[in-house]
């Protein structure tokens, strides 16, 4: 079912509105999940190929819309939600609308692998309680959160 949902993203409504990023986000963002059994039956290569086909279809749609500009299709594993999330925005890979640190990558494998290997979707476990960092009492600073990988694919008519 996951592969079907990924393919359907290419046919869903698509809004490229550089002046209204909120509309882009609300229209173009999709949360995709799969049961643990389904995750075990899929390969990284299958899921990656499905996203590559969706990016190619979106590239054609963007061209056919007459949009002239930078547009990026991107995918990440939301570990908190236990889902793969994908979106399209009229921004270059370095300006995606994330509040935290992320690393744009052209390698979709690790993003998909993390999702498929997640036996407890939506549950974050700590391997060693001693490794967790409490906010510094002296500075009040929160522990630093490591950047997460986001697969990016140019679907616009101009390259970033």
């Amino acid at each position: 079912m996951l592969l079907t949902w990924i393919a359907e993203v290419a046919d869903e409504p698509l809004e490229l509105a550089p002046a209204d990023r909120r509309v882009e986000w609300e229209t173009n963002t999709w949360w995709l999940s799969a049961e643990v059994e389904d995750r075990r039956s899929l390969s990284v290569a299958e899921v990656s190929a499905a996203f590559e086909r969706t990016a190619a279809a979106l590239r054609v749609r963007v061209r056919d819309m007459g949009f002239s500009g930078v547009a990026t299709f991107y995918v990440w594993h939301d570990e908190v939600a236990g889902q793969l999330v994908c979106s399209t925005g009229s921004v270059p890979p370095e300006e995606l609308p994330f509040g935290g640190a992320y690393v744009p990558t052209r390698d979709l494998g690790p993003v998909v692998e993390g999702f498929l290997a997640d036996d407890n979707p939506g549950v974050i476990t700590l391997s060693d309680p001693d490794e967790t960092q409490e906010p510094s009492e002296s500075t009040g600073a929160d522990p630093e959160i490591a950047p997460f990988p986001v697969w990016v694919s140019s679907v616009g008519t101009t390259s970033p």
Side-chain angles (χ1 to χ4, degrees):
M1 202 65 201
L2 178 64
L3 300 180
T4 300
W5 290 333
I6 294 169
E8 288 174 352
V9 167
D11 297 322
E12 293 293 339
L14 179 63
E15 184 71 38
L16 294 174
D20 196 344
R21 304 279 190 224
R22 179 179 290 283
V23 167
E24 284 185 348
W25 177 259
E26 291 172 356
T27 305
N28 302 340
T29 304
W30 302 97
W31 289 262
L32 308 169
S33 193
E35 296 297 324
V36 173
E37 301 79 35
D38 294 335
R39 291 173 193 237
R40 290 183 183 139
S41 71
L42 293 168
S43 71
V44 171
E46 288 173 306
V47 176
S48 296
F51 277 118
E52 292 279 0
R53 287 189 298 272
T54 295
L58 287 170
R59 205 169 289 115
V60 170
R61 282 188 65 194
V62 169
R63 185 192 66 224
D64 290 350
M65 290 169 59
F67 179 78
S68 59
V70 172
T72 304
F73 176 63
Y74 53 105
V75 178
W76 70 100
H77 175 208
D78 182 334
E79 292 181 30
V80 175
Q83 298 173 316
L84 285 173
V85 187
C86 61
S87 191
T88 306
S90 57
V91 294
E94 300 78 27
E95 296 177 21
L96 299 177
F98 292 108
Y102 68 96
V103 178
T105 180
R106 302 269 186 216
D107 185 2
L108 184 52
V111 174
V112 172
E113 185 175 13
F115 171 77
L116 293 179
D118 190 352
D119 287 334
N120 293 308
V123 176
I124 305 285
T125 58
L126 299 174
S127 58
D128 183 356
D130 293 333
E131 291 179 15
T132 61
Q133 297 176 345
E134 294 296 323
S136 170
E137 290 180 22
S138 61
T139 65
D142 289 330
E144 192 170 318
I145 298 173
F148 59 95
V150 178
W151 178 73
V152 295
S153 180
S154 175
V155 295
T157 56
T158 60
S159 297

